[in-house]
Amino acid sequence: MIPKLPLGPWLEFIINFLDDNFSFITKAASNVVEAGIFKFQDFMMLIPYWLVIALVVVVAWRVAGRGVAIFAIFGLALIVNLQMWPETIETLAMVLFATLISMLIGLPLGIWSSRNEVVNRVVSPVLDFMQTMPAFVYLIPVIPFFGLGNVPAVMATVIFAMPPVIRLTNLGIRQVPAELIEASESFGSTPSQKLYKVQLPLALPTIMAGVNQTIMLSLSMVVIAAMIGARGLGGIIWSAIQRLETGSGFESGIGVVIVAIILDRVTQKVSGKKTREE
Protein backbone atom coordinates (compact mmCIF):
# COMPACT_ATOMS: atom_id res chain seq x y z
CA MET A 1 0.00 0.00 0.00
CA ILE A 2 1.33 3.41 -0.95
CA PRO A 3 1.89 5.52 2.20
CA LYS A 4 -0.08 8.72 2.49
CA LEU A 5 1.79 11.83 1.41
CA PRO A 6 2.25 14.22 4.35
CA LEU A 7 0.88 17.11 2.27
CA GLY A 8 -1.00 18.68 5.17
CA PRO A 9 2.04 18.74 7.53
CA TRP A 10 4.18 20.18 4.72
CA LEU A 11 1.72 23.00 4.13
CA GLU A 12 1.47 23.68 7.86
CA PHE A 13 5.29 23.81 8.06
CA ILE A 14 5.43 26.34 5.20
CA ILE A 15 2.71 28.52 6.76
CA ASN A 16 4.38 28.36 10.20
CA PHE A 17 7.74 29.27 8.63
CA LEU A 18 6.24 32.24 6.81
CA ASP A 19 4.39 33.31 9.96
CA ASP A 20 7.56 33.11 12.09
CA ASN A 21 9.77 35.02 9.64
CA PHE A 22 7.50 37.41 7.75
CA SER A 23 4.67 38.15 10.16
CA PHE A 24 6.03 41.68 10.68
CA ILE A 25 5.13 42.44 7.05
CA THR A 26 1.62 41.06 7.36
CA LYS A 27 1.11 42.87 10.67
CA ALA A 28 2.15 46.16 9.07
CA ALA A 29 -0.18 45.56 6.11
CA SER A 30 -2.93 44.58 8.54
CA ASN A 31 -2.55 47.86 10.45
CA VAL A 32 -2.74 49.90 7.23
CA VAL A 33 -5.82 48.08 5.92
CA GLU A 34 -7.53 48.18 9.30
CA ALA A 35 -6.92 51.91 9.64
CA GLY A 36 -8.22 52.47 6.11
CA ILE A 37 -11.40 50.49 6.76
CA PHE A 38 -12.08 52.34 10.02
CA LYS A 39 -11.46 55.76 8.47
CA PHE A 40 -13.76 54.96 5.54
CA GLN A 41 -16.47 53.75 7.90
CA ASP A 42 -16.12 56.78 10.17
CA PHE A 43 -16.29 59.12 7.17
CA MET A 44 -19.35 57.40 5.72
CA MET A 45 -21.12 57.39 9.08
CA LEU A 46 -20.55 61.13 9.42
CA ILE A 47 -22.63 61.66 6.27
CA PRO A 48 -26.40 61.45 6.84
CA TYR A 49 -27.80 58.24 5.37
CA TRP A 50 -30.34 60.16 3.27
CA LEU A 51 -27.51 62.07 1.58
CA VAL A 52 -25.64 58.83 0.81
CA ILE A 53 -28.81 57.33 -0.63
CA ALA A 54 -29.37 60.46 -2.73
CA LEU A 55 -25.83 60.27 -4.11
CA VAL A 56 -26.20 56.56 -4.92
CA VAL A 57 -29.51 57.23 -6.65
CA VAL A 58 -28.01 60.03 -8.76
CA VAL A 59 -25.09 57.82 -9.81
CA ALA A 60 -27.42 54.90 -10.54
CA TRP A 61 -29.73 57.17 -12.58
CA ARG A 62 -26.89 58.66 -14.62
CA VAL A 63 -25.08 55.37 -15.22
CA ALA A 64 -27.68 52.60 -15.19
CA GLY A 65 -31.00 54.34 -15.80
CA ARG A 66 -34.25 55.12 -14.03
CA GLY A 67 -35.15 51.54 -13.09
CA VAL A 68 -31.95 50.95 -11.12
CA ALA A 69 -32.28 54.38 -9.48
CA ILE A 70 -35.83 53.59 -8.28
CA PHE A 71 -34.65 50.21 -7.03
CA ALA A 72 -31.80 51.93 -5.17
CA ILE A 73 -34.22 54.32 -3.43
CA PHE A 74 -36.53 51.60 -2.14
CA GLY A 75 -33.76 49.06 -1.51
CA LEU A 76 -31.53 51.35 0.55
CA ALA A 77 -34.56 52.80 2.37
CA LEU A 78 -35.50 49.23 3.33
CA ILE A 79 -31.98 48.65 4.69
CA VAL A 80 -32.28 51.81 6.82
CA ASN A 81 -35.73 50.75 7.99
CA LEU A 82 -34.38 47.33 9.04
CA GLN A 83 -31.67 49.16 11.08
CA MET A 84 -28.81 47.60 9.10
CA TRP A 85 -27.23 50.80 7.76
CA PRO A 86 -23.98 50.65 9.85
CA GLU A 87 -23.48 47.00 8.94
CA THR A 88 -24.10 47.79 5.26
CA ILE A 89 -21.46 50.54 5.34
CA GLU A 90 -19.01 48.14 7.03
CA THR A 91 -19.66 45.53 4.34
CA LEU A 92 -19.18 48.13 1.62
CA ALA A 93 -15.88 49.20 3.21
CA MET A 94 -14.56 45.63 3.11
CA VAL A 95 -15.75 45.14 -0.49
CA LEU A 96 -14.19 48.45 -1.51
CA PHE A 97 -10.78 47.65 0.00
CA ALA A 98 -10.79 44.07 -1.29
CA THR A 99 -11.67 45.25 -4.80
CA LEU A 100 -9.07 48.03 -4.68
CA ILE A 101 -6.27 45.67 -3.58
CA SER A 102 -7.37 43.08 -6.17
CA MET A 103 -7.17 45.69 -8.92
CA LEU A 104 -3.80 47.04 -7.74
CA ILE A 105 -2.36 43.52 -7.97
CA GLY A 106 -4.50 42.06 -10.74
CA LEU A 107 -4.31 44.77 -13.40
CA PRO A 108 -0.48 44.87 -13.65
CA LEU A 109 -0.36 41.06 -13.51
CA GLY A 110 -2.96 40.80 -16.28
CA ILE A 111 -1.04 43.28 -18.43
CA TRP A 112 2.21 41.40 -17.81
CA SER A 113 0.55 38.07 -18.70
CA SER A 114 -0.75 39.50 -21.96
CA ARG A 115 2.69 40.71 -22.98
CA ASN A 116 4.76 37.72 -21.85
CA GLU A 117 3.82 34.16 -22.80
CA VAL A 118 6.02 32.60 -20.09
CA VAL A 119 4.27 34.64 -17.38
CA ASN A 120 0.91 33.69 -18.87
CA ARG A 121 1.78 29.98 -18.71
CA VAL A 122 2.83 30.32 -15.07
CA VAL A 123 -0.10 32.49 -13.98
CA SER A 124 -2.90 30.53 -15.72
CA PRO A 125 -2.64 27.32 -13.64
CA VAL A 126 -2.29 29.39 -10.47
CA LEU A 127 -5.55 31.18 -11.34
CA ASP A 128 -7.20 27.82 -12.08
CA PHE A 129 -6.13 26.65 -8.63
CA MET A 130 -7.40 29.84 -6.97
CA GLN A 131 -10.79 29.64 -8.70
CA THR A 132 -11.44 25.96 -8.04
CA MET A 133 -10.33 25.88 -4.40
CA PRO A 134 -13.39 26.00 -2.08
CA ALA A 135 -13.82 29.53 -0.71
CA PHE A 136 -13.87 28.37 2.91
CA VAL A 137 -10.30 27.07 2.63
CA TYR A 138 -8.96 30.60 2.14
CA LEU A 139 -10.19 31.53 5.60
CA ILE A 140 -7.74 29.16 7.33
CA PRO A 141 -4.26 30.40 6.27
CA VAL A 142 -5.05 34.11 6.73
CA ILE A 143 -5.72 33.69 10.46
CA PRO A 144 -2.04 33.08 11.47
CA PHE A 145 -0.94 36.12 9.46
CA PHE A 146 -3.74 38.60 10.15
CA GLY A 147 -5.65 37.26 13.17
CA LEU A 148 -9.43 37.55 13.34
CA GLY A 149 -11.74 40.33 12.18
CA ASN A 150 -12.27 42.46 9.10
CA VAL A 151 -8.64 42.54 7.89
CA PRO A 152 -8.21 38.76 7.38
CA ALA A 153 -11.64 38.82 5.74
CA VAL A 154 -10.38 41.41 3.25
CA MET A 155 -7.20 39.42 2.58
CA ALA A 156 -9.08 36.14 2.03
CA THR A 157 -11.47 38.03 -0.23
CA VAL A 158 -8.59 39.41 -2.29
CA ILE A 159 -7.27 35.89 -2.93
CA PHE A 160 -10.75 34.65 -3.83
CA ALA A 161 -11.85 37.61 -5.99
CA MET A 162 -8.65 38.54 -7.84
CA PRO A 163 -8.56 35.91 -10.67
CA PRO A 164 -11.32 37.48 -12.86
CA VAL A 165 -9.60 40.85 -13.13
CA ILE A 166 -6.29 39.16 -14.08
CA ARG A 167 -7.90 36.85 -16.63
CA LEU A 168 -10.08 39.48 -18.29
CA THR A 169 -7.32 42.10 -18.41
CA ASN A 170 -5.13 39.52 -20.12
CA LEU A 171 -7.96 38.50 -22.47
CA GLY A 172 -9.00 42.06 -23.30
CA ILE A 173 -5.50 43.10 -24.35
CA ARG A 174 -5.00 39.93 -26.40
CA GLN A 175 -8.29 40.58 -28.24
CA VAL A 176 -7.19 43.97 -29.57
CA PRO A 177 -7.12 43.59 -33.39
CA ALA A 178 -3.64 43.00 -34.76
CA GLU A 179 -4.28 45.57 -37.53
CA LEU A 180 -4.59 48.34 -34.94
CA ILE A 181 -1.41 47.22 -33.21
CA GLU A 182 0.43 47.22 -36.53
CA ALA A 183 -0.98 50.65 -37.38
CA SER A 184 0.25 52.10 -34.08
CA GLU A 185 3.67 50.53 -34.63
CA SER A 186 3.83 51.94 -38.15
CA PHE A 187 3.35 55.42 -36.68
CA GLY A 188 6.36 54.84 -34.42
CA SER A 189 4.56 54.23 -31.12
CA THR A 190 6.73 53.09 -28.24
CA PRO A 191 5.62 49.97 -26.28
CA SER A 192 4.22 52.17 -23.50
CA GLN A 193 2.33 54.39 -25.98
CA LYS A 194 0.94 51.28 -27.66
CA LEU A 195 -0.22 49.94 -24.29
CA TYR A 196 -1.74 53.11 -22.83
CA LYS A 197 -3.15 54.68 -26.01
CA VAL A 198 -4.28 51.63 -27.99
CA GLN A 199 -4.46 48.37 -26.07
CA LEU A 200 -5.84 49.47 -22.70
CA PRO A 201 -8.55 51.80 -24.11
CA LEU A 202 -9.77 49.08 -26.49
CA ALA A 203 -9.60 46.43 -23.77
CA LEU A 204 -11.44 48.60 -21.22
CA PRO A 205 -14.91 46.98 -21.64
CA THR A 206 -13.45 43.53 -21.00
CA ILE A 207 -11.39 44.85 -18.07
CA MET A 208 -14.51 46.44 -16.57
CA ALA A 209 -16.29 43.08 -16.88
CA GLY A 210 -13.46 41.63 -14.79
CA VAL A 211 -13.86 44.42 -12.23
CA ASN A 212 -17.59 43.68 -12.08
CA GLN A 213 -16.90 40.00 -11.38
CA THR A 214 -14.32 40.92 -8.74
CA ILE A 215 -16.83 43.15 -6.93
CA MET A 216 -19.48 40.43 -6.96
CA LEU A 217 -17.07 37.78 -5.69
CA SER A 218 -15.82 40.20 -3.01
CA LEU A 219 -19.35 40.76 -1.78
CA SER A 220 -20.02 37.03 -1.54
CA MET A 221 -16.73 36.34 0.21
CA VAL A 222 -16.99 39.07 2.87
CA VAL A 223 -20.25 37.41 3.93
CA ILE A 224 -18.58 34.00 4.17
CA ALA A 225 -15.67 35.62 6.02
CA ALA A 226 -17.96 36.31 8.97
CA MET A 227 -16.80 32.84 10.08
CA ILE A 228 -13.41 34.36 10.98
CA GLY A 229 -14.79 37.38 12.76
CA ALA A 230 -15.70 39.77 9.95
CA ARG A 231 -18.59 42.01 10.91
CA GLY A 232 -21.07 43.79 8.66
CA LEU A 233 -24.07 42.07 7.09
CA GLY A 234 -22.20 38.77 7.03
CA GLY A 235 -21.71 39.00 10.79
CA ILE A 236 -25.49 39.28 11.30
CA ILE A 237 -26.07 36.27 9.02
CA TRP A 238 -23.46 34.18 10.85
CA SER A 239 -24.95 35.16 14.20
CA ALA A 240 -28.43 34.24 12.94
CA ILE A 241 -27.15 30.82 11.84
CA GLN A 242 -25.61 30.16 15.25
CA ARG A 243 -28.80 31.21 17.06
CA LEU A 244 -31.24 29.75 14.49
CA GLU A 245 -32.83 33.21 14.01
CA THR A 246 -34.34 32.68 10.56
CA GLY A 247 -35.93 36.12 10.26
CA SER A 248 -32.75 38.03 11.12
CA GLY A 249 -30.76 35.91 8.68
CA PHE A 250 -33.20 36.59 5.84
CA GLU A 251 -33.24 40.32 6.59
CA SER A 252 -29.45 40.48 6.31
CA GLY A 253 -29.53 38.30 3.20
CA ILE A 254 -31.97 40.71 1.57
CA GLY A 255 -29.59 43.57 2.45
CA VAL A 256 -26.73 41.75 0.70
CA VAL A 257 -28.91 41.13 -2.36
CA ILE A 258 -29.89 44.82 -2.58
CA VAL A 259 -26.26 45.96 -2.40
CA ALA A 260 -25.21 43.30 -4.91
CA ILE A 261 -27.88 44.27 -7.46
CA ILE A 262 -27.02 47.97 -7.28
CA LEU A 263 -23.26 47.36 -7.63
CA ASP A 264 -23.78 44.80 -10.40
CA ARG A 265 -26.13 46.93 -12.52
CA VAL A 266 -24.02 50.08 -12.20
CA THR A 267 -20.70 48.38 -13.05
CA GLN A 268 -22.34 46.40 -15.89
CA LYS A 269 -23.67 49.60 -17.43
CA VAL A 270 -20.24 51.26 -17.10
CA SER A 271 -18.67 48.47 -19.16
CA GLY A 272 -21.61 48.54 -21.60
CA LYS A 273 -21.22 52.27 -22.18
CA LYS A 274 -17.51 51.82 -22.81
CA THR A 275 -18.32 49.14 -25.38
CA ARG A 276 -20.79 51.39 -27.24
CA GLU A 277 -18.30 54.27 -27.19
CA GLU A 278 -15.77 51.98 -28.84
Side-chain angles (χ1 to χ4, degrees):
M1 182 176 179
I2 300 175
K4 177 185 175 184
L5 281 175
L7 185 58
W10 289 347
L11 291 174
E12 286 185 13
F13 173 79
I14 293 171
I15 290 174
N16 290 334
F17 174 80
L18 293 174
D19 184 36
D20 292 339
N21 294 280
F22 299 99
S23 61
F24 66 96
I25 298 175
T26 58
K27 298 300 180 190
S30 174
N31 292 335
V32 172
V33 174
E34 189 171 27
I37 292 174
F38 282 145
K39 286 186 183 300
F40 178 80
Q41 285 179 236
D42 292 343
F43 173 73
M44 291 297 293
M45 292 307 295
L46 286 175
I47 305 174
Y49 70 83
W50 55 266
L51 182 56
V52 176
I53 293 175
L55 292 172
V56 172
V57 169
V58 169
V59 172
W61 187 296
R62 296 286 297 173
V63 175
R66 184 173 57 185
V68 179
I70 294 172
F71 176 82
I73 292 174
F74 287 102
L76 295 177
L78 177 62
I79 287 175
V80 173
N81 178 262
L82 295 174
Q83 300 180 350
M84 297 187 302
W85 187 251
E87 290 80 8
T88 302
I89 294 297
E90 194 167 11
T91 300
L92 278 175
M94 288 189 283
V95 170
L96 176 68
F97 274 84
T99 304
L100 185 63
I101 296 172
S102 298
M103 290 176 64
L104 288 175
I105 300 172
L107 287 175
L109 201 51
I111 293 171
W112 194 16
S113 299
S114 70
R115 298 166 70 88
N116 189 311
E117 199 55 39
V118 175
V119 174
N120 185 44
R121 289 177 182 172
V122 173
V123 169
S124 292
V126 176
L127 296 180
D128 293 340
F129 178 84
M130 291 169 68
Q131 289 190 295
T132 51
M133 180 66 72
F136 296 96
V137 177
Y138 292 126
L139 302 179
I140 303 170
V142 296
I143 294 175
F145 296 108
F146 301 101
L148 298 173
N150 288 347
V151 175
V154 169
M155 295 305 174
T157 302
V158 168
I159 300 170
F160 179 70
M162 190 166 45
V165 75
I166 299 175
R167 282 192 191 281
L168 290 174
T169 300
N170 181 8
L171 178 66
I173 293 176
R174 287 175 181 272
Q175 285 181 333
V176 174
E179 296 81 6
L180 295 176
I181 302 294
E182 292 172 2
S184 67
E185 289 173 346
S186 67
F187 282 102
S189 298
T190 63
S192 60
Q193 288 175 327
K194 188 171 63 177
L195 174 66
Y196 292 112
K197 295 187 177 182
V198 179
Q199 292 174 308
L200 284 180
L202 292 174
L204 196 55
T206 308
I207 294 172
M208 286 304 300
V211 174
N212 171 273
Q213 290 300 307
T214 296
I215 292 172
M216 293 297 102
L217 290 174
S218 297
L219 189 55
S220 66
M221 189 64 183
V222 294
V223 174
I224 295 173
M227 296 172 66
I228 56 172
R231 296 181 294 272
L233 294 172
I236 301 177
I237 294 173
W238 181 237
S239 176
I241 292 172
Q242 292 176 312
R243 299 174 184 174
L244 291 177
E245 296 176 344
T246 309
S248 175
F250 268 96
E251 286 178 356
S252 305
I254 291 170
V256 173
V257 170
I258 290 169
V259 173
I261 289 176
I262 295 172
L263 291 174
D264 180 57
R265 296 298 183 271
V266 170
T267 52
Q268 270 191 11
K269 289 295 180 181
V270 169
S271 61
K273 283 187 176 182
K274 295 293 181 186
T275 305
R276 287 194 294 274
E277 288 171 6
E278 297 302 331

